[in-house]
C-alpha cells in the first residue's frame, strides 16, 4: 500500500476531533462570546469621512478684500467668484464650468407638474412627503 493510501485509511479510521471547525467556524474557545463585539473599540466618536471634511472646508468663512472693501465669504463662494472673474477675462473653460454648474443646480429642483384635482394629487403628495422623510432620515439613496 502506498503512503497516500495509508494516510487515507488512517484518516478514515480516526474520528475527526473537531467536526464543527473549518472555514468561517473557528474553535468554540476562540469564538466571540454572546454580547461581545469583534471590534470592541470600533470607530472613534467624531471620526469624519472625506465628504464631511470637504464640506466643512468649503463652508469655512474668511475675509476677502473686494473693491477696497472687506467681505466675509465661504471658500466655495470665493472659488466660484474667482472662476467667474476668469470667465469674464475670456477663459472658456471657466465659463463652461460655471454654466454647467448652474444648469445642474437648476435641474435638481423638481419640475412643477400639473396634476388634476383628484385622488391622484393626494397620492402624489403623500408619496412626495414619504420620500422627503426618507432622505431626511438618511434611508434614501
Amino acid at each position: 500500500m502506498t503512503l497516500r493510501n495509508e494516510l487515507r485509511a488512517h484518516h478514515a479510521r480516526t474520528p475527526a476531533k473537531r467536526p464543527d471547525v473549518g472555514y468561517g467556524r473557528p474553535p468554540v474557545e476562540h469564538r466571540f462570546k454572546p454580547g461581545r463585539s469583534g471590534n470592541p473599540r470600533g470607530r472613534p466618536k467624531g471620526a469624519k469621512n472625506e465628504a464631511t471634511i470637504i464640506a466643512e472646508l468649503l463652508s469655512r468663512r474668511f475675509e476677502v478684500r473686494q473693491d477696497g472693501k472687506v467681505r466675509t465669504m465661504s471658500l466655495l463662494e470665493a472659488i466660484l467668484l474667482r472662476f467667474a472673474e476668469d470667465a469674464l477675462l475670456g477663459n472658456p473653460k471657466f465659463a463652461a464650468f460655471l454654466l454647467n454648474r448652474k444648469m445642474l443646480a437648476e435641474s435638481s429642483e423638481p419640475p412643477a407638474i400639473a396634476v388634476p384635482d383628484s385622488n391622484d394629487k393626494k397620492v402624489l403628495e403623500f408619496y412626495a412627503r414619504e420620500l422627503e422623510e426618507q432622505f431626511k432620515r438618511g434611508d434614501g439613496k
Side-chain angles (χ1 to χ4, degrees):
M1 208 162 32
T2 64
L3 180 61
R4 181 178 288 173
N5 289 338
E6 287 179 25
L7 287 174
R8 282 185 186 160
H10 173 72
H11 286 297
R13 287 191 306 262
T14 57
K17 294 179 183 176
R18 297 181 177 195
D20 62 337
V21 174
Y23 182 76
R25 294 180 307 222
V28 176
E29 61 270 12
H30 294 289
R31 293 180 187 174
F32 298 125
K33 306 298 180 257
R36 295 284 300 203
S37 168
N39 186 12
R41 290 178 60 186
R43 178 183 57 84
K45 288 185 180 180
K48 299 175 183 175
N49 63 14
E50 184 179 0
T52 305
I53 293 169
I54 291 173
E56 288 178 359
L57 181 67
L58 289 175
S59 64
R60 187 176 293 170
R61 300 189 69 78
F62 60 98
E63 293 180 351
V64 175
R65 188 170 299 276
Q66 190 178 29
D67 298 329
K69 298 177 183 175
V70 177
R71 188 173 156 213
T72 303
M73 65 176 65
S74 69
L75 178 62
L76 178 61
E77 187 179 356
I79 290 171
L80 292 176
L81 182 65
R82 176 63 142 217
F83 280 11
E85 290 171 358
D86 287 344
L88 284 174
L89 292 175
N91 192 330
K93 288 182 181 179
F94 290 109
F97 173 80
L98 285 173
L99 292 173
N100 284 335
R101 294 300 301 173
K102 181 182 184 303
M103 288 183 354
L104 237 168
E106 288 175 351
S107 68
S108 66
E109 296 174 6
I113 300 173
V115 179
D117 290 330
S118 66
N119 287 336
D120 293 342
K121 187 173 183 178
K122 292 177 185 175
V123 169
L124 288 174
E125 287 172 353
F126 174 79
Y127 183 67
R129 280 194 304 273
E130 287 293 316
L131 283 177
E132 285 177 0
E133 289 175 15
Q134 278 183 356
F135 279 105
K136 286 179 185 175
R137 288 192 309 259
D139 298 346
K141 293 200 178 202

